[in-house]
Amino acid sequence: MMTLVIGGSKCGKSSFAEELFADFLGEKIYIATMLPFGEESHASIAEHRKKRMGKGFATIEKYTDIEELSLPENCGVLLECMGNLCANEMFRDGKISVPTEKIMRGIEHLRTRANRIVIVSNDVSSDGNSYGDPTAEYIKILSELNRKIAEISDNVIECVFGIPLVRKGALK
């Protein structure tokens, strides 16, 4: 089963995504994609680690190339977050690339190993602002990834002000 949890910044999507593993009895893997740089990102990473403590997740720091991950069979995977993974792949090596197909291959790889997958992503296209290149290209690519992931997901949940809203599928 695959679930996409999407929402704006600081809307409760990460906490909600973790709750989706409360009843999971197998090995739980948290794939952390935030590339640490600067004081703010280190503080955010520390906050997420603290909130996950005691929930049984093994953390794998993987900023790119999720298709290379070696995972135990029938595990549960929480991928946090697609926005970071997209940016890391898109702007790696000082060049701008379109990583949509590469990331989707990585997700398909996860689906071959995991019984439960929860992908957290950001809604970055609804603020109504205009951006120049390359930010506009990033928004376009992440929006396309979100659409593709939503299409193949069993459940799509939007978090708004900490409230999970079912957009596809159902909550247990």
Short mmCIF file of all heavy atoms in Angstrom, two decimals, residues 10-42:
data_model
loop_
_atom_site.label_atom_id
_atom_site.label_comp_id
_atom_site.label_asym_id
_atom_site.label_seq_id
_atom_site.Cartn_x
_atom_site.Cartn_y
_atom_site.Cartn_z
N LYS A 10 5.00 23.21 7.44
CA LYS A 10 4.63 23.14 8.86
C LYS A 10 3.14 22.89 9.08
O LYS A 10 2.53 23.43 9.99
CB LYS A 10 5.05 24.41 9.60
CG LYS A 10 6.52 24.77 9.46
CD LYS A 10 7.40 23.73 10.10
CE LYS A 10 8.87 24.12 9.97
NZ LYS A 10 9.75 23.03 10.30
N CYS A 11 2.54 22.03 8.24
CA CYS A 11 1.10 21.76 8.33
C CYS A 11 0.77 20.48 9.09
O CYS A 11 -0.39 20.10 9.20
CB CYS A 11 0.48 21.71 6.94
SG CYS A 11 1.01 20.28 5.99
N GLY A 12 1.79 19.76 9.57
CA GLY A 12 1.56 18.52 10.31
C GLY A 12 1.68 17.26 9.48
O GLY A 12 1.40 16.17 9.96
N LYS A 13 2.14 17.40 8.24
CA LYS A 13 2.20 16.22 7.36
C LYS A 13 3.21 15.18 7.84
O LYS A 13 2.95 13.98 7.74
CB LYS A 13 2.44 16.62 5.91
CG LYS A 13 3.70 17.38 5.61
CD LYS A 13 3.71 17.90 4.17
CE LYS A 13 4.94 18.71 3.89
NZ LYS A 13 4.97 20.02 4.51
N SER A 14 4.33 15.60 8.38
CA SER A 14 5.35 14.64 8.84
C SER A 14 4.85 13.83 10.03
O SER A 14 4.99 12.61 10.06
CB SER A 14 6.64 15.37 9.21
OG SER A 14 7.17 16.03 8.10
N SER A 15 4.26 14.50 11.00
CA SER A 15 3.72 13.79 12.17
C SER A 15 2.63 12.83 11.76
O SER A 15 2.57 11.69 12.24
CB SER A 15 3.18 14.80 13.20
OG SER A 15 4.20 15.61 13.68
N PHE A 16 1.76 13.28 10.87
CA PHE A 16 0.69 12.41 10.39
C PHE A 16 1.26 11.19 9.66
O PHE A 16 0.81 10.06 9.87
CB PHE A 16 -0.27 13.18 9.48
CG PHE A 16 -1.33 12.30 8.90
CD1 PHE A 16 -2.38 11.85 9.67
CD2 PHE A 16 -1.25 11.88 7.58
CE1 PHE A 16 -3.34 11.01 9.14
CE2 PHE A 16 -2.20 11.05 7.04
CZ PHE A 16 -3.25 10.60 7.82
N ALA A 17 2.27 11.41 8.82
CA ALA A 17 2.88 10.30 8.08
C ALA A 17 3.47 9.27 9.03
O ALA A 17 3.33 8.06 8.81
CB ALA A 17 3.96 10.84 7.13
N GLU A 18 4.10 9.72 10.09
CA GLU A 18 4.66 8.80 11.08
C GLU A 18 3.55 8.00 11.77
O GLU A 18 3.72 6.81 12.05
CB GLU A 18 5.48 9.57 12.11
CG GLU A 18 6.76 10.14 11.52
CD GLU A 18 7.46 11.12 12.44
OE1 GLU A 18 7.09 11.23 13.62
OE2 GLU A 18 8.39 11.80 11.95
N GLU A 19 2.41 8.63 12.03
CA GLU A 19 1.29 7.95 12.67
C GLU A 19 0.77 6.79 11.81
O GLU A 19 0.22 5.83 12.34
CB GLU A 19 0.14 8.93 12.93
CG GLU A 19 0.41 9.91 14.03
CD GLU A 19 -0.70 10.95 14.17
OE1 GLU A 19 -1.84 10.67 13.73
OE2 GLU A 19 -0.42 12.03 14.69
N LEU A 20 0.95 6.89 10.51
CA LEU A 20 0.47 5.84 9.61
C LEU A 20 1.25 4.53 9.80
O LEU A 20 0.87 3.50 9.24
CB LEU A 20 0.55 6.30 8.15
CG LEU A 20 -0.39 7.44 7.78
CD1 LEU A 20 -0.14 7.90 6.35
CD2 LEU A 20 -1.84 7.04 7.98
N PHE A 21 2.32 4.56 10.59
CA PHE A 21 3.11 3.37 10.87
C PHE A 21 2.90 2.83 12.28
O PHE A 21 3.56 1.88 12.69
CB PHE A 21 4.61 3.65 10.64
CG PHE A 21 4.97 3.72 9.19
CD1 PHE A 21 4.93 4.93 8.52
CD2 PHE A 21 5.31 2.59 8.49
CE1 PHE A 21 5.25 5.00 7.17
CE2 PHE A 21 5.62 2.65 7.14
CZ PHE A 21 5.59 3.86 6.48
N ALA A 22 1.99 3.42 13.03
CA ALA A 22 1.77 3.01 14.42
C ALA A 22 1.40 1.54 14.54
O ALA A 22 1.80 0.86 15.48
CB ALA A 22 0.70 3.89 15.07
N ASP A 23 0.66 1.01 13.56
CA ASP A 23 0.22 -0.39 13.61
C ASP A 23 1.09 -1.32 12.77
O ASP A 23 0.82 -2.51 12.67
CB ASP A 23 -1.23 -0.50 13.15
CG ASP A 23 -1.41 -0.16 11.67
OD1 ASP A 23 -0.52 0.50 11.09
OD2 ASP A 23 -2.43 -0.57 11.10
N PHE A 24 2.14 -0.79 12.16
CA PHE A 24 2.99 -1.60 11.29
C PHE A 24 3.94 -2.45 12.13
O PHE A 24 4.70 -1.91 12.94
CB PHE A 24 3.78 -0.71 10.32
CG PHE A 24 4.48 -1.47 9.24
CD1 PHE A 24 3.77 -1.96 8.15
CD2 PHE A 24 5.84 -1.72 9.31
CE1 PHE A 24 4.41 -2.68 7.15
CE2 PHE A 24 6.48 -2.43 8.32
CZ PHE A 24 5.77 -2.91 7.24
N LEU A 25 3.91 -3.75 11.92
CA LEU A 25 4.69 -4.66 12.75
C LEU A 25 6.06 -5.01 12.16
O LEU A 25 6.91 -5.55 12.87
CB LEU A 25 3.89 -5.94 13.02
CG LEU A 25 2.56 -5.74 13.73
CD1 LEU A 25 1.82 -7.06 13.87
CD2 LEU A 25 2.77 -5.06 15.08
N GLY A 26 6.28 -4.73 10.89
CA GLY A 26 7.55 -5.07 10.27
C GLY A 26 8.61 -4.01 10.52
O GLY A 26 8.42 -3.06 11.29
N GLU A 27 9.74 -4.18 9.86
CA GLU A 27 10.83 -3.23 9.98
C GLU A 27 10.44 -1.92 9.31
O GLU A 27 9.95 -1.89 8.18
CB GLU A 27 12.09 -3.81 9.31
CG GLU A 27 13.33 -3.01 9.59
CD GLU A 27 14.60 -3.72 9.14
OE1 GLU A 27 14.54 -4.92 8.80
OE2 GLU A 27 15.64 -3.05 9.13
N LYS A 28 10.65 -0.81 10.02
CA LYS A 28 10.27 0.52 9.54
C LYS A 28 11.52 1.31 9.18
O LYS A 28 12.41 1.49 10.01
CB LYS A 28 9.46 1.27 10.59
CG LYS A 28 8.15 0.58 10.93
CD LYS A 28 7.30 1.40 11.87
CE LYS A 28 7.73 1.22 13.30
NZ LYS A 28 6.78 1.80 14.26
N ILE A 29 11.55 1.79 7.94
CA ILE A 29 12.69 2.54 7.42
C ILE A 29 12.25 3.97 7.13
O ILE A 29 11.26 4.19 6.43
CB ILE A 29 13.24 1.92 6.11
CG1 ILE A 29 13.48 0.42 6.25
CG2 ILE A 29 14.46 2.68 5.62
CD1 ILE A 29 14.58 0.03 7.19
N TYR A 30 12.98 4.92 7.66
CA TYR A 30 12.74 6.34 7.40
C TYR A 30 13.84 6.82 6.47
O TYR A 30 15.01 6.83 6.85
CB TYR A 30 12.77 7.12 8.72
CG TYR A 30 12.46 8.58 8.63
CD1 TYR A 30 11.21 9.07 8.97
CD2 TYR A 30 13.43 9.49 8.22
CE1 TYR A 30 10.92 10.42 8.91
CE2 TYR A 30 13.15 10.85 8.15
CZ TYR A 30 11.89 11.31 8.50
OH TYR A 30 11.62 12.65 8.44
N ILE A 31 13.46 7.18 5.25
CA ILE A 31 14.44 7.69 4.28
C ILE A 31 14.43 9.20 4.38
O ILE A 31 13.45 9.85 4.01
CB ILE A 31 14.13 7.23 2.85
CG1 ILE A 31 14.09 5.70 2.77
CG2 ILE A 31 15.16 7.80 1.87
CD1 ILE A 31 13.59 5.16 1.44
N ALA A 32 15.50 9.75 4.92
CA ALA A 32 15.63 11.19 5.13
C ALA A 32 16.37 11.80 3.94
O ALA A 32 17.49 11.40 3.62
CB ALA A 32 16.40 11.46 6.42
N THR A 33 15.72 12.75 3.26
CA THR A 33 16.30 13.31 2.04
C THR A 33 16.80 14.74 2.19
O THR A 33 17.32 15.30 1.24
CB THR A 33 15.26 13.28 0.89
OG1 THR A 33 14.16 14.11 1.25
CG2 THR A 33 14.80 11.86 0.62
N MET A 34 16.65 15.33 3.39
CA MET A 34 17.10 16.72 3.56
C MET A 34 18.61 16.78 3.64
O MET A 34 19.22 16.27 4.58
CB MET A 34 16.50 17.37 4.80
CG MET A 34 16.96 18.81 4.97
SD MET A 34 16.34 19.61 6.44
CE MET A 34 14.87 20.34 5.77
N LEU A 35 19.20 17.37 2.64
CA LEU A 35 20.64 17.57 2.60
C LEU A 35 20.99 18.65 3.61
O LEU A 35 20.54 19.79 3.48
CB LEU A 35 21.05 17.99 1.18
CG LEU A 35 22.53 18.07 0.85
CD1 LEU A 35 23.20 16.71 1.03
CD2 LEU A 35 22.70 18.55 -0.57
N PRO A 36 21.74 18.30 4.65
CA PRO A 36 22.01 19.28 5.70
C PRO A 36 22.98 20.38 5.25
O PRO A 36 24.08 20.10 4.80
CB PRO A 36 22.61 18.45 6.84
CG PRO A 36 23.11 17.21 6.21
CD PRO A 36 22.33 17.00 4.94
N PHE A 37 22.49 21.60 5.34
CA PHE A 37 23.34 22.76 5.08
C PHE A 37 22.76 23.91 5.89
O PHE A 37 21.56 24.12 5.92
CB PHE A 37 23.36 23.10 3.59
CG PHE A 37 22.03 23.53 3.04
CD1 PHE A 37 21.68 24.87 2.98
CD2 PHE A 37 21.11 22.59 2.61
CE1 PHE A 37 20.44 25.26 2.51
CE2 PHE A 37 19.87 22.97 2.13
CZ PHE A 37 19.53 24.31 2.08
N GLY A 38 23.61 24.57 6.59
CA GLY A 38 23.16 25.73 7.36
C GLY A 38 22.47 25.36 8.66
O GLY A 38 22.03 24.24 8.86
N GLU A 39 22.37 26.34 9.51
CA GLU A 39 21.83 26.16 10.85
C GLU A 39 20.36 25.74 10.84
O GLU A 39 19.93 24.88 11.61
CB GLU A 39 21.99 27.48 11.63
CG GLU A 39 21.71 27.37 13.10
CD GLU A 39 22.02 28.67 13.82
OE1 GLU A 39 23.09 29.26 13.58
OE2 GLU A 39 21.17 29.07 14.64
N GLU A 40 19.56 26.33 9.95
CA GLU A 40 18.13 26.03 9.91
C GLU A 40 17.86 24.58 9.53
O GLU A 40 17.01 23.92 10.14
CB GLU A 40 17.43 26.97 8.92
CG GLU A 40 15.93 26.83 8.94
CD GLU A 40 15.24 27.83 8.02
OE1 GLU A 40 15.75 28.94 7.83
OE2 GLU A 40 14.19 27.45 7.47
N SER A 41 18.58 24.06 8.55
CA SER A 41 18.35 22.66 8.15
C SER A 41 18.81 21.70 9.25
O SER A 41 18.15 20.68 9.48
CB SER A 41 19.02 22.35 6.82
OG SER A 41 20.42 22.40 6.93
N HIS A 42 19.90 22.01 9.92
CA HIS A 42 20.36 21.15 11.01
C HIS A 42 19.33 21.15 12.15
O HIS A 42 19.07 20.10 12.75
CB HIS A 42 21.74 21.58 11.52
CG HIS A 42 22.85 21.20 10.59
ND1 HIS A 42 23.32 19.91 10.48
CD2 HIS A 42 23.56 21.94 9.70
CE1 HIS A 42 24.28 19.87 9.58
NE2 HIS A 42 24.45 21.08 9.09
#
